[in-house]
Amino acid sequence: MLRFLGRGSAFADEQNAACFVDEDRLVLIDCGMSAFHLLRHKGPDGIAACCRRKGLPAGTDSFSDSTSTPESHIHELYVLVTHTHGDHVGGIPMLIHYAYYIWKLPVTIVAPSEEVRQDLEFLFDRLEGCSRKTYTLTTVDTVPYWSLQAILTSHAPELEGRCFGFRLMIDGRSVIYTGDTSTLAPFLPYLDEVPDSQLYTEASTKKQPVHLYVDDMISETTDRIRQGAEVFVMHLDDEQSMRERIEGTAIRLAPLYNEPQGPQGTEEDTQMSQEHENMLKDIFAVSEQLYAEMKGSSENYHSKMIEHLTTMGKVLSDADRASFWKWDKANHTLWTLAATGTDRITIPDNTGLVGKSLAEGRVIVTNDPYNDPNFNSEVDKKTGYVTKSILVMPVSNIKGEYIGAYQVINKLGGDGKFDEVEDCRKLSLAAIICGLALESDVFLEESYTDKLTGLKNRMGFFSDFNRTYFKIIKNPDISLSLFISDIDKFKSVNDTYGHNAGDEVLKHVAKIMSDNCRECDGIYRWGGEEFIMIMTDANMEKCAAKAEELRKLIEESSCEAEGHVIRHTMSFGVTEFNPAKTIEENISVADAKLYLAKEGGRNQVVI
């Protein structure tokens, strides 16, 4: 069907101009200055994208050039001219100029007759930017598309014999477009010939000699509507009055380019508008939560952002569940940073549809998962959930390296199946922001990590203390202890075996410590050859016992480096956290005990 860039008369803000898309062509019927301004703002692809889709809620205007997709890429512009009044052709010279110099698109102007073609040629030849090389001017009989016919009609006396409407075939449907007319008589034979035609007709709420009066139009189309015709009114002098005049009839306002069916759409259009409205409310609710988290300087802002955006992706794609996965390449695992409807999941990175999507670097869609060999049904077996459709979208960092994936499960609307193009378009913004948040999180995580040993560094220690341990020491029912330790005579290791060997000894110690601490404890490289362990729910005796266990393991172990077998020992200073003291003061207490261990002969634990 036709869409309209404006449906008003000469003095309206948006003058009458229709459009449709045919393959890679955007076709306009007339082009006033207001239509040109809209085209310049949205771009041919933006207008075409709106025309090709079912539409948006009435009155919205969210499509722009950025919505352009390969399926809506425009390579040619056509303008069919009905007559030469300024509100119908005033934007054409600027359109020619802009298309040639800015969009680099060919423009073909189609006149309904040779006389009108000559009038247009006279006009364009005298305007800067409209040299003959910048456009093609022809007549309807030379255009091989749309079964195009010009229909002579009556309008203003000065245009007698030079005012026309058109008959076209658009998507297999007969379309009759009256242009400005004072009568339907020239068009009714075509409407009677194909009863289910679409008729786009001018109509005026005021009775005047040069425009078709709305009451006359209604009387002449009522029976034809019963026979299958669809009737739309355009070139409106008073839109509100026109709404009132056609209320109770099957006649509708000509649909604007960004409306489903115009304000008087079908029940399906009303439902679509309501669905869009509900979706926007859900999106705004998530955005409001996200903004509140940002204003509150939440401790875990990145993870909260990803949780909220995962929820937004669920809303945008109309899915039952959504999850955002982090790819931990060092440990060859995938795990959910955020997931709706389920607990955290961790899987090997070479398994499942998420693993396949990241390995192949492409979107994966399956609408029959139980027959897909890459689908892991174990979670469904444990929980009783039934997975019917899945879409996985890989997410990259700014270098183009894949770092995670967005997954949505079970499409709720339509036929219950995900569409790779449409659903990815809806998910793309949330996925991009999630990717940026994850990349920022990874960068922060790396800044907290000692690259040699893989343990957290001093920055990581203070971050964990402020986020986690500080809350624990305020609880009088839970003990928190720590030890600080030092590799004995580490300088002699470097001097004797070299710094590469020293690095291997540091890694060796770090591995023994990390392999023998609880998940609730934290082990950190404090700097140089010093290490700190924080133990939760542990008094000083329990912490000292752990230090003694580690001292023995290290003493009994050996490190092979640079062709040498290196044996070494460690000293430990232990303390229980005193809530009345600062973290630095508590560490100083442990450090003083470590000094006593070193002074007392090394290779011992001092409490």
Side-chain angles (χ1 to χ4, degrees):
M1 67 187 303
L2 293 179
R3 301 281 176 173
F4 283 70
L5 305 181
R7 56 189 173 210
S9 59
F11 300 107
D13 291 336
E14 293 183 348
Q15 295 137 12
N16 205 82
C19 64
F20 66 95
V21 180
D22 174 42
E23 296 181 349
D24 62 350
R25 307 176 192 92
L26 177 62
V27 185
L28 307 179
I29 304 180
D30 293 331
C31 181
M33 190 57 73
S34 64
F36 163 71
H37 283 307
L38 185 58
L39 262 169
R40 185 184 64 171
H41 174 60
K42 295 295 181 186
D45 283 344
I47 296 296
C50 291
C51 292
R52 276 194 162 117
R53 303 186 194 283
K54 289 184 177 180
L56 300 169
T60 62
D61 188 20
S62 66
F63 280 113
S64 67
D65 300 71
S66 61
T67 64
S68 184
T69 62
E71 66 174 287
S72 65
H73 193 61
I74 297 302
H75 292 104
E76 286 185 278
L77 292 175
Y78 275 76
V79 185
L80 313 183
V81 176
T82 58
H83 62 289
T84 55
H85 274 169
D87 58 314
H88 292 260
V89 298
I92 295 178
M94 284 299 296
L95 179 66
I96 292 171
H97 194 82
Y98 215 80
Y100 185 82
Y101 290 102
I102 305 299
W103 295 327
K104 312 298 183 186
L105 291 178
V107 178
T108 300
I109 312 300
V110 182
S113 68
E114 177 57 26
E115 281 184 294
V116 177
R117 189 198 69 77
Q118 291 175 15
D119 290 342
L120 292 170
E121 185 176 61
F122 179 83
L123 170 66
F124 297 156
D125 279 351
R126 283 154 180 77
L127 291 175
E128 182 183 359
C130 291
S131 65
R132 297 289 180 92
K133 71 175 183 178
T134 60
Y135 69 99
T136 300
L137 178 59
T138 188
T139 54
V140 292
D141 54 305
T142 68
V143 177
Y145 313 117
W146 319 304
S147 301
L148 185 61
Q149 295 174 259
I151 303 171
L152 183 64
T153 189
S154 297
H155 180 36
E158 70 271 13
L159 290 179
E160 191 63 35
R162 299 202 303 277
C163 195
F164 293 80
F166 294 109
R167 185 190 190 187
L168 314 92
M169 292 295 292
I170 303 176
D171 295 329
R173 187 81 181 269
S174 173
V175 172
I176 299 166
Y177 184 93
T178 68
D180 286 7
T181 186
S182 60
T183 175
L184 276 182
F187 306 97
L188 294 179
Y190 297 96
L191 192 58
D192 293 335
E193 179 184 331
V194 184
D196 65 346
S197 296
Q198 289 182 331
L199 172 65
Y200 296 84
T201 178
E202 158 182 31
S204 173
T205 57
K206 302 175 181 64
K207 201 171 182 67
Q208 50 185 291
V210 296
H211 293 292
L212 177 63
Y213 185 47
V214 61
D215 289 355
D216 295 337
M217 181 272 299
I218 291 173
S219 66
E220 290 188 284
T221 58
T222 299
D223 287 342
R224 291 173 171 90
I225 291 172
R226 293 194 188 104
Q227 294 170 17
E230 288 186 89
V231 178
F232 301 87
V233 287
M234 60 185 190
H235 200 270
L236 308 177
D237 54 354
D238 186 333
E239 186 167 311
Q240 184 54 41
S241 295
M242 183 60 71
R243 287 179 189 274
E244 295 168 2
R245 298 292 279 274
I246 63 177
E247 186 176 0
T249 72
I251 299 166
R252 289 173 275 170
L253 300 186
L256 295 177
Y257 75 101
N258 57 351
E259 288 179 344
Q261 286 279 345
Q264 295 184 342
T266 63
E267 184 177 340
E268 180 184 353
D269 300 325
T270 303
Q271 182 181 354
M272 183 184 297
S273 296
Q274 188 61 49
E275 288 173 358
H276 279 290
E277 185 177 341
N278 292 339
M279 180 180 287
L280 283 172
K281 287 179 180 177
D282 289 338
I283 292 170
F284 293 151
V286 174
S287 300
E288 189 176 19
Q289 287 180 307
L290 195 55
Y291 182 64
E293 296 282 355
M294 182 177 71
K295 284 197 304 180
S297 299
S298 172
E299 293 174 355
N300 299 310
Y301 179 60
H302 284 162
S303 60
K304 289 290 185 183
M305 176 189 289
I306 289 172
E307 286 177 16
H308 291 318
L309 288 167
T310 300
T311 301
M312 183 181 288
K314 173 178 172 290
V315 172
L316 288 168
S317 60
D318 194 19
D320 182 51
R321 290 184 175 183
S323 55
F324 189 76
W325 296 71
K326 178 180 178 179
W327 189 3
D328 187 345
K329 297 179 183 179
N331 295 309
H332 302 290
T333 58
L334 296 162
W335 50 278
T336 49
L337 280 170
T340 61
T342 186
D343 297 329
R344 173 170 162 170
I345 301 170
T346 303
I347 61 173
D349 64 1
N350 60 350
T351 62
L353 293 169
V354 175
K356 181 181 180 181
S357 176
L358 288 169
E360 298 181 5
R362 66 183 181 90
V363 173
I364 300 290
V365 175
T366 176
N367 292 305
D368 186 16
Y370 291 113
N371 288 317
D372 191 315
N374 294 289
F375 174 64
N376 186 347
S377 61
E378 291 304 312
V379 175
D380 284 11
K381 290 176 182 177
K382 290 179 183 177
T383 63
Y385 188 76
V386 178
T387 302
K388 299 176 182 177
S389 53
I390 300 175
L391 183 149
V392 184
M393 188 178 191
V395 172
S396 64
N397 59 19
I398 57 173
K399 298 177 183 177
E401 301 163 340
Y402 290 114
I403 57 174
Y406 213 117
Q407 177 178 258
V408 285
I409 297 175
N410 285 1
K411 181 83 169 180
L412 296 176
D415 58 3
K417 297 179 179 180
F418 287 110
D419 179 87
E420 182 173 334
V421 174
E422 185 65 17
D423 286 307
C424 282
R425 184 179 68 85
K426 293 176 180 177
L427 282 171
S428 57
L429 179 60
I432 288 169
I433 299 175
C434 274
L436 292 173
L438 175 55
E439 182 173 22
S440 178
D441 205 44
V442 168
F443 178 79
L444 191 62
E445 188 178 293
E446 288 177 350
S447 72
Y448 289 165
T449 302
D450 174 53
K451 289 182 171 54
L452 177 65
T453 63
L455 300 179
K456 287 189 178 180
N457 57 22
R458 189 175 296 209
M459 285 178 60
F461 171 86
F462 282 111
S463 174
D464 286 354
F465 186 85
N466 291 328
R467 288 191 300 113
T468 305
Y469 303 129
F470 186 72
K471 297 174 184 176
I472 294 175
I473 62 174
K474 287 184 172 294
N475 187 337
D477 298 325
I478 301 177
S479 298
L480 188 74
S481 300
L482 71 79
F483 66 70
I484 185 166
S485 58
D486 181 280
I487 300 174
D488 296 329
K489 298 182 179 179
F490 183 70
K491 184 177 182 300
S492 66
V493 173
N494 283 330
D495 292 344
T496 304
Y497 303 107
H499 287 281
N500 288 342
D503 287 348
E504 291 303 316
V505 170
L506 290 169
K507 289 191 284 185
H508 175 72
V509 169
K511 186 173 190 312
I512 290 175
M513 286 189 166
S514 60
D515 287 348
N516 291 278
C517 75
R518 302 173 301 173
E519 191 173 332
C520 60
D521 300 332
I523 182 74
Y524 306 85
R525 184 180 178 193
W526 191 242
E529 64 270 27
E530 288 187 324
F531 298 83
I532 280 183
M533 178 183 279
I534 290 187
M535 296 188 69
T536 60
D537 198 19
N539 57 22
M540 185 157 52
E541 288 72 23
K542 190 172 182 179
C543 187
K546 172 59 70 174
E548 179 62 20
E549 176 192 337
L550 291 171
R551 186 197 66 77
K552 289 180 179 178
L553 287 170
I554 290 165
E555 181 182 30
E556 294 167 359
S557 70
S558 60
C559 174
E560 294 185 10
E562 300 287 302
H564 302 284
V565 175
I566 305 172
R567 303 183 70 87
H568 49 86
T569 60
M570 292 190 74
S571 301
F572 297 79
V574 183
T575 189
E576 187 171 330
F577 263 89
N578 181 347
K581 294 181 178 180
T582 66
I583 175 62
E584 290 83 5
E585 289 170 340
N586 276 284
I587 291 173
S588 291
V589 172
D591 201 38
K593 295 177 183 179
L594 173 61
Y595 178 79
L596 291 175
K598 305 287 272 188
E599 288 295 302
R602 300 183 179 87
N603 191 25
Q604 60 181 305
V605 175
V606 173
I607 64 172

